[in-house]
Amino acid sequence: MDRRAETTPEISVIAPVYNEVQSLPEFYRRVRQVLDGLGLSWELLLVDDGSTDGSTELIRHFAKEDRRVRPLIFARNFGHQLAVTAGLDYCRGRAAIVLDSDLQDPPEVMAELIAKWREGYEVVYAIRSEREGESWFKLLTASLFYRLIYRITDVKIPLDTGDFRLLDRQVVKVLRRMRERHRFLRGMSAWVGFRQTGVHYRRAARFAGQTKYPLRKMIKFASDAITSFSYLPLQLATYLGFAAAGLSILAIPIVVILRQSGMQAFLGQATTLIAVLFLGGVQLISLGILGEYIGRLYDEAKGRPLYILREAPEQDGAKEPEELENEFSATELS
Ligand code: UDP
Ligand code: MG
């Protein structure tokens, strides 16, 4: 086989891994089964996001046994979105498929994604029509989140889709040039345009272990999503300001008339205090929202690398360095 064909597989599968030692062998087996069954050339990028449970060693082991497995080992935990980003930076296939390594995204669905891609779609996202093994709290917050995002952003991000999707090489190239720090990949891949379509699937329960997305991370993820795709929170201060100002202008003649007619209302300090506290609260919230955006601006201004690799996959000429200006590898330091 010539070298070029060897380094450009048809499909790159990108899977972020954070302490998934129990799911990994089954995950690897099923991915292999599906892709071999389709008779495609493929590579599997396993991005180790600072695991501490032995996933790292397991990934290295797979890579040693099977040259199609390419390990990316992070220097610490950078989070799911950045792990996927690293995978997109290093993948070489004609299309990339992003899926979770906990088997919640069934690898079998990849066949449907690839079929749509072959029909000519450049982005094929997987829509969760059912979700198994999730708490009602997760289902409710997720559903509210997707609907809120849909309403307040200009980019129409499809409802109930996660990061499980196929991206054509062209789209991957565009995404590589979007180096924003606080990432909402499903929004970014909707933003780029191209021909997009979805396929429905049943989201399975986790194969093993627990979710790595506690409420704290979910909130951070949601605020990253909102701040990167909407100015609505900033405009909220303006709307509230107009509402409060309008209300007080209306209140002035009413109070004057009531006083003139000898009413004893609005004496004492309670009313004043409530008004002051209310406005103080609104102002502090607006300031906080402003802070959210400024903090993110500050992060962008620092221009730090998005992630740090302890071990990068073997370089074999297929990497496109000019597209990876923000990428950073610890090995380059030595
Ligand atoms: N993950 C990661 N880094 C993190 C958290 C999660 O790489 O900081 C990976 C995790 O191993 C899994 C995927 O991202 O493959 C989705 O995470 P998880 O299953 O915990 O989220 P949930 O499916 O519960 O939303
Ligand atoms: Mg999961």
Side-chain angles (χ1 to χ4, degrees):
M1 215 198 292
D2 77 291
R3 181 128 184 95
R4 183 82 194 138
E6 202 182 300
T7 52
T8 49
E10 201 84 13
I11 300 290
S12 297
V13 177
I14 298 167
V17 179
Y18 181 46
N19 294 341
E20 305 284 4
V21 75
Q22 288 166 294
S23 314
L24 265 181
E26 177 67 8
F27 173 76
Y28 171 50
R29 189 188 67 75
R30 274 171 64 185
V31 166
R32 218 172 34 184
Q33 191 178 35
V34 172
L35 295 172
D36 283 343
L38 291 170
L40 290 164
S41 59
W42 54 272
E43 62 175 7
L44 171 61
L45 288 105
L46 290 172
V47 188
D48 174 33
D49 188 12
S51 299
T52 50
D53 69 341
S55 300
T56 319
E57 289 70 31
L58 196 59
I59 291 172
R60 286 197 193 111
H61 170 75
F62 289 154
K64 230 168 100 185
E65 302 278 297
D66 185 346
R67 284 189 49 81
R68 296 171 301 184
V69 177
R70 302 173 69 215
L72 278 98
I73 317 277
F74 276 7
R76 65 166 168 86
N77 180 258
F78 279 88
H80 167 250
Q81 297 285 300
L82 289 173
V84 174
T85 303
L88 290 171
D89 287 345
Y90 278 87
C91 70
R92 303 173 296 189
R94 283 182 225 287
I97 299 178
V98 178
L99 81 172
D100 288 353
S101 56
D102 60 358
L103 288 165
Q104 281 200 283
D105 304 330
E108 291 70 28
V109 179
M110 290 196 296
E112 289 168 50
L113 300 182
I114 293 169
K116 284 281 175 201
W117 174 57
R118 292 238 159 101
E119 281 175 29
Y121 291 98
E122 279 106 359
V123 176
V124 190
Y125 46 85
I127 308 162
R128 307 158 170 174
S129 36
E130 271 177 70
R131 301 180 76 167
E132 291 167 13
E134 304 272 29
S135 65
W136 65 267
F137 181 74
K138 178 112 182 180
L139 291 180
L140 180 73
T141 46
S143 169
L144 284 176
F145 168 68
Y146 289 122
R147 273 142 196 89
L148 176 75
I149 283 286
Y150 191 81
R151 294 198 68 147
I152 68 171
T153 57
D154 301 330
V155 194
K156 284 307 157 218
I157 301 164
L159 290 172
D160 301 317
T161 60
D163 288 320
F164 186 18
R165 58 188 60 223
L166 178 146
L167 306 165
D168 184 83
R169 175 139 198 94
Q170 266 183 290
V171 178
V172 172
K173 282 188 170 174
V174 178
L175 287 178
R176 280 182 186 165
R177 285 167 39 207
M178 295 163 70
R179 303 312 286 178
E180 60 219 66
R181 206 146 301 272
H182 299 277
R183 303 189 142 236
F184 184 53
L185 282 164
R186 51 201 85 162
M188 291 162 63
S189 86
W191 181 85
V192 298
F194 289 98
R195 285 202 289 167
Q196 311 216 351
T197 188
V199 300
H200 288 267
Y201 79 111
R202 283 168 66 107
R203 187 156 164 89
R206 249 179 175 278
F207 183 74
Q210 285 175 355
T211 176
K212 313 296 184 309
Y213 259 100
L215 186 62
R216 179 178 51 82
K217 276 195 191 171
M218 272 161 62
I219 292 172
K220 184 183 173 294
F221 181 62
S223 55
D224 280 349
I226 294 169
T227 48
S228 7
F229 282 91
S230 171
Y231 296 126
L232 187 80
L234 287 174
Q235 292 159 341
L236 229 51
T238 321
Y239 299 148
L240 273 170
F242 273 113
L247 217 78
S248 42
I249 286 173
L250 278 182
I252 293 168
I254 296 176
V255 172
V256 169
I257 292 167
L258 287 179
R259 275 294 183 86
Q260 293 288 329
S261 62
M263 271 267 291
Q264 294 299 301
F266 308 115
L267 290 177
Q269 294 173 357
T271 358
T272 325
L273 196 64
I274 289 171
V276 168
L277 282 178
F278 173 76
L279 263 187
V282 167
Q283 282 172 352
L284 283 179
I285 292 170
S286 310
L287 214 61
I289 293 174
L290 212 61
E292 284 290 316
Y293 282 86
I294 293 177
R296 283 171 170 79
L297 264 173
Y298 180 48
D299 278 345
E300 293 296 346
K302 280 190 278 194
R304 291 189 185 158
L306 296 184
Y307 53 82
I308 300 170
L309 284 172
R310 183 204 297 278
E311 287 168 40
E314 267 174 50
Q315 314 293 341
D316 37 27
K319 202 179 117 187
E320 290 142 70
E322 72 281 1
E323 289 176 338
L324 298 177
E325 45 204 65
N326 243 331
E327 168 253 354
F328 183 84
S329 154
T331 49
E332 283 167 13
L333 282 178
S334 50

